[in-house]
Every structure is written in C-alpha cells, then in structure tokens.
Amino acid sequence: MLQRNRAVAVCVGGVLAVALLVAALTACSEHDDTAPQEPTQTAQEGDSADEPAAVVPPAPQPAPSAPQSPAQQRVPADLRARVASLMVVGVTNEAQARAALDQGVGGLIIPSWADPALLTAQGHNIEALRAQYHHPFSVAIDFEGGRVQRHTDVMGSFMAPRELAARPPEVIRGTGYDIGRSLRGRGVNVDYAPLLDLDVSGLDIVGDRAFSGHPDEVVRVGTLFAQGLIDANVTPTFKHFPGHGRASGDTHHQLAVTPPLDQVRELDMRPFGPLLQRFPRSSVMMGHMIVPGMGPEGVPSSLNPEAYRILRDGDYPGGVPFEGVVVTDDLSGMRGILDYAPTPEAVKRAIAAGADQALWSSGADVPQVIDGVVAAVQSGELPEARVNEAAARAQQQLINTGL
C-alpha cells in the first residue's frame, strides 16, 4: 500500500513538473529576443520603410564674381577720381601740369605753345612729374612729321607723310621708330599719328598730311609707320574716324559735313579695319565731322553714339571690333565743336556717347569740367558703367606702354 502511494506521488509530481515546464516555455516564447521587432524609425509619408530617408540638397550658393583684370584693378574706387582719369588736358608749363595732375587727370597733351622746359628741364620735366605722382598718367603729342610736328627743336624734324610714303619700307618703319624713340625719350608715350584720312578732294587741311588717296596705300604705309612707333614703345593713334578727307571744310575753323554715311563707309572708313586688326592696342581719335545718316542728324561724330558703335562693332567694309581707347579730337580749340557745344558740355556728351578720353588742349577749368561729369553720373544722366568701362580702357593703355 505504501509503495503504491509512493508511485502515485511520483506520478503526480511528474505531471506537475511537466506542466511547470510547459508554462515556462510559453512565457519565454512571448519575450524571445529573436522574435521580429517593429521598426524603430517611423517612415516618412511617401517613403518606403525599407529605404533611407530622402537627402535634401544644399541651398545653391551664389556664383563667384569674375576676377578683375589688371586694368580694372587700377581703376580708382572714388567716382571723382574715375572721372578725372578720363581727361586729357593741354598743359603749357610745370605749374599747369601739376595743377591738372593734382585733380587726378589721366592724361596730358603737350601743345605747340607749351614751354619746352616741360620736356627738357631736369627735375621739372615729365619724367620728374611721373616720379612724384602716385597715379599713372599718359602724355600725348601731335607728331605726324611735316606740317604737324610739335617742338622740333627738342624732338627733331621729319618729312611729311606724303613724302615718307614714297620711301622704301625700311625707311617708313625706321622713321616711325625714330619719332617714337625721340618722343619716349622726353616722356611722351602716345603719338596722335598716323593720319588715315584720304586725300581725295583737295582739302588743304589734309593734303600732304595724308599718305595717299587710296585706302590700300594708306594701310600699307600706315602699318609700317605704326609698327615703328610700337617698336619704340609709343602708342599710335589712328585719326580721324570716320574720315575727314571729303569733309566740307576744316573742323578747326567750322562745322564740317561729309558725304552720306553709305559713301563714307565705302571709302573713308576702309583704312581703319586692317590697321585695327593688326594693332588692337592702338588708339583711335574720333573727329568732329557731321555724317548725314549717322545717328542723330547734325551731331558731330565726337558726340554721336552711332559713330562709336560703328567703330566698336567694326560695322564697315573690312572693319573689325575694336576694344582699345577712343579719344576725342580737341574739344576746346576747334570751331567745328565749339560752334555746337561749349567744352564742359562737349566733354560730358563725348564720354556719354562712347569716348574713353576727352581731350581739350586749353586745359582750362579742369576742376569744374570734372565736377560737371560727376554731377551727370550722380543724376543718372551719364551711366556710371560707361565711366567704369572707359576708365578700364584708359588704364589698359597705360599698362601697354609700361606705365
């Protein structure tokens, strides 16, 4: 009986053990670490829970500004100084030169009536002024040879352009070099030569100053002469765009009118294209001639935006785009412009039209003229961008001759 009871107890104990084991296994299965878990990161709307969240691109950054050219870096920050750098004024002596440079002018021109000491006096000449003034400036002169050559007692005397054209090529180029070397030796870095006007109508102001009446011959001789100047590190200036050879008179003495634009394009402008293509670092002098059919009627070329556009675009037979300096003819000593506008007004209008340098040989009223142009910029009459463009070109011309 006792044994039977022990057996029953063992049986019951076994059943209980099994029940307990089943219960334990069930509890473990409910909390098993290996069981699949819910994702810990909630997927964004429209995203798959199996893919990474979308990457937001960084905000666009402004494009870096284009680096400035060496010429642009030299353009004065001050507006008045920028405007002053566009002025080329006549000076007769050291005192007048200093007064102009004190105003910050970018160029001087040595007229025939200047004191030669400005070219020769040690310590008081152009080179002395360059050493004493921190801003670079150009010095120009009219020196073609023949009738138009200033201060021959200092610079030397040379044959007229028409006579020079008949000489061998090496003489033509050599003469340009000799003139350039003489000018540069006295501090002059820009020559207002050679003249490209065609001698086709017997106009006395042109005459033997012209190489020829044929455009191709003018190009041939002008190329040799200009190369000689460049060999001497002097900037040549081709004049007078768009062409004075068939004008109705001398712009020194009166308003002068050329044939209509289509005729001027076909003949008078022709020498400029090949020469500007060959010498893109040269400068061009804009004349005062009125050209019928070019821009506003009755406006001299030097104040006419269309004249500058035609030159810049090369919009004439054989023409090429030109990015060098364009300087006006004299805005103070010629009736061809004074009968149209007084010098201060002409300076302002020339720059607005497209001139990079406004030239007046009298050198009078420099502060007032500068202030007038500044006022035009401040009022919006003259775009500041036009001043900036002109100032950069003027600085580039100085760089080209090492100044």
Side-chain angles (χ1 to χ4, degrees), residues 115-126 153-155 186:
D115 182 351
L118 190 56
L119 300 168
T120 60
Q122 192 71 23
H124 300 278
N125 57 12
I126 293 168
D153 53 336
V154 176
M155 303 295 193
R186 299 297 182 180

Side-chain angles (χ1 to χ4, degrees), residues 77-127:
D78 176 70
L79 175 60
R80 192 177 192 281
R82 258 178 288 154
V83 168
S85 73
L86 312 184
M87 309 300 165
V88 179
V89 301
V91 292
T92 58
N93 52 45
E94 182 189 5
Q96 190 178 14
R98 287 186 179 279
L101 293 172
D102 287 341
Q103 292 295 319
V105 302
L108 308 177
I109 178 174
I110 309 300
S112 58
W113 56 88
D115 182 351
L118 190 56
L119 300 168
T120 60
Q122 192 71 23
H124 300 278
N125 57 12
I126 293 168
E127 292 299 354

Side-chain angles (χ1 to χ4, degrees), residues 40-98:
T40 59
Q41 181 177 355
T42 303
Q44 299 296 315
E45 183 178 358
D47 289 345
S48 168
D50 297 329
E51 297 177 357
V55 177
V56 178
Q61 299 297 314
S65 57
Q68 289 188 319
S69 68
Q72 290 170 326
Q73 293 173 15
R74 289 173 41 154
V75 170
D78 176 70
L79 175 60
R80 192 177 192 281
R82 258 178 288 154
V83 168
S85 73
L86 312 184
M87 309 300 165
V88 179
V89 301
V91 292
T92 58
N93 52 45
E94 182 189 5
Q96 190 178 14
R98 287 186 179 279

Side-chain angles (χ1 to χ4, degrees), residues 263-309:
Q263 297 181 33
V264 172
R265 262 198 174 106
E266 287 299 320
L267 182 64
D268 302 84
M269 294 182 188
R270 280 187 177 273
F272 287 89
L275 285 162
L276 295 180
Q277 183 174 33
R278 176 70 178 269
F279 305 112
R281 292 186 172 184
S282 62
S283 56
V284 172
M285 179 175 284
M286 186 67 73
H288 298 317
M289 303 76 65
I290 296 170
V291 182
M294 185 175 70
E297 289 300 321
V299 178
S301 299
S302 54
L303 310 185
N304 192 326
E306 182 64 5
Y308 293 93
R309 186 204 66 77

